[in-house]
Amino acid sequence: METTVCPWCHTEIVWDEEFGPEDTCPHCNNELSGYRTVTLGIDDLEDEDEPEGAGEPDQDSVSDDDLWDDEDKESVVPIFNTLVQFGEDYDLKHYESKVAAILAAQLEAPECPQCHELMLLSGTQKVEGFEPSSPEALGGPVLKPPFSLNLFVCPSCFHVQHSLAQEDRIQLVRNLSTGVK
């Protein structure tokens, strides 16, 4: 039996030699051979400033056309790291170390749906002006205001995402499991 690690979700996939390797990850359903993320660090960007040989053709140049196979070009939109634009004005190595320290201290760190980086908890937002729905099957509101939302921000592409705060998750589970009182 051989193993493969999914490049998307990092799940170890054990496959039987009799059946052969998996084409897709059984955990996240992503194509195992289709991992096409290109990440450039600040060191890679500094190397571009150095002049190369004047008369030599650049054989290692990469264009956007080389990033995906022909059949994938129309179905996948590349997500460029928007953090790169701040590289000249701010110390991105210090930024990355602060992000890592914050993520290490967080209890929950969802994955960004845009670029798949872990997101930072930036605070909570109180929701008061909310008209709850009251499904007939429940006999009352699914979630009663006021409640709080955790606000997560992606440190790479700055995408924002909300999730229900822990104490209000308990309220939701209680409402759905026991019925509203």
Side-chain angles (χ1 to χ4, degrees):
M1 294 180 92
E2 295 189 33
T3 62
T4 304
V5 176
C6 175
W8 299 97
C9 66
H10 304 289
T11 302
E12 185 175 327
I13 303 163
V14 179
W15 52 274
D16 193 345
E17 291 178 7
E18 185 176 315
F19 297 111
E22 299 282 340
D23 293 334
T24 59
C25 175
H27 179 71
C28 68
N29 293 324
N30 280 311
E31 182 182 345
L32 292 176
S33 63
Y35 193 66
R36 296 175 187 90
T37 300
V38 177
T39 305
L40 298 176
I42 193 72
D43 296 332
D44 297 328
L45 296 175
E46 290 172 357
D47 292 342
E48 290 180 2
D49 295 337
E50 298 173 7
E52 294 186 16
E56 298 176 17
D58 189 12
Q59 295 177 2
D60 294 335
S61 66
V62 176
S63 69
D64 289 344
D65 296 334
D66 297 334
L67 293 177
W68 292 276
D69 295 334
D70 287 337
E71 68 270 3
D72 290 342
K73 284 182 186 175
E74 295 177 17
S75 64
V76 177
V77 177
I79 302 295
F80 294 105
N81 189 342
T82 56
L83 185 61
V84 173
Q85 66 184 330
F86 300 110
E88 293 179 12
D89 299 328
Y90 299 98
D91 181 8
L92 294 184
K93 289 205 181 287
H94 186 69
Y95 178 88
E96 290 174 7
S97 68
K98 289 291 186 182
V99 167
I102 293 169
L103 286 172
Q106 278 184 202
L107 295 176
E108 177 182 11
E111 185 178 275
C112 176
Q114 294 290 337
C115 68
H116 304 287
E117 292 285 334
L118 294 179
M119 300 179 83
L120 301 175
L121 176 63
S122 63
T124 57
Q125 181 179 8
K126 192 78 152 178
V127 177
E128 295 177 0
F130 173 75
E131 186 66 36
S133 67
S134 297
E136 201 174 297
L138 187 59
V142 174
L143 189 62
K144 296 178 188 174
F147 57 89
S148 297
L149 297 174
N150 292 330
L151 179 69
F152 292 93
V153 178
C154 177
S156 183
C157 72
F158 306 107
H159 180 78
V160 176
Q161 180 175 312
H162 292 94
S163 73
L164 202 56
Q166 182 64 30
E167 56 275 358
D168 296 306
R169 292 176 188 177
I170 294 168
Q171 178 195 154
L172 178 70
V173 171
R174 186 177 338 136
N175 287 351
L176 296 177
S177 64
T178 61
V180 180
K181 296 178 182 174

